[in-house]
């Protein structure tokens, strides 16, 4: 867990060092959009560091398309 936290801190500091001066020159709306876009990153970072079994970004895709994909595979197996 310490290694994951260290990697996450290093990457986050790199992003802030790169984006920080640019964010100071932007208007309020752009800063709000930047903050909203970082929310999924923070969520996934917590999952990564704490090694939690919470839903990730690909879970909704698997939920929506797993049954149709399974039916397609079964149809191909029957056809062969």
């Amino acid at each position: 867990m310490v290694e994951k936290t260290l990697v996450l801190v290093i990457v986050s500091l790199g992003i802030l060092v790169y984006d920080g001066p640019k964010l100071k020159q932007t208007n309020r709306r752009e800063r709000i959009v930047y903050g909203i876009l970082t929310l999924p990153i923070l969520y996934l970072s917590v999952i990564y560091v704490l090694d939690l079994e919470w839903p990730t970004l690909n879970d909704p895709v698997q939920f929506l398309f797993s049954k149709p994909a399974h039916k397609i595979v079964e149809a191909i197996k029957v056809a062969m």
Side-chain angles (χ1 to χ4, degrees), residues 18-65:
Y18 182 76
D19 288 343
K22 294 178 183 178
L23 281 174
K24 289 181 181 178
Q25 297 173 357
T26 60
N27 60 20
R28 184 172 184 243
R29 178 181 283 173
E30 290 175 353
R31 280 186 244 145
I32 290 172
V33 170
Y34 186 86
I36 290 172
L37 290 174
T38 58
L39 290 177
I41 295 169
L42 292 173
Y43 173 75
L44 292 172
S45 299
V46 168
I47 292 174
Y48 171 71
V49 170
L50 299 178
D51 202 22
L52 300 172
E53 293 296 326
W54 290 359
T56 58
L57 298 176
N58 60 343
D59 286 342
V61 174
Q62 289 177 350
F63 177 75
L64 291 174
F65 297 114

Side-chain angles (χ1 to χ4, degrees), residues 7 16 21 45 55 64-65 70 72 77 79-80:
V7 168
L16 286 175
S45 299
L64 291 174
F65 297 114
H70 182 65
I72 292 170
K77 285 182 181 178
M80 293 182 149

Side-chain angles (χ1 to χ4, degrees), residues 4-22:
K4 290 180 178 182
T5 305
L6 184 63
V7 168
L8 188 63
V9 167
I10 291 171
V11 169
S12 299
L13 286 176
I15 291 171
L16 286 175
V17 166
Y18 182 76
D19 288 343
K22 294 178 183 178

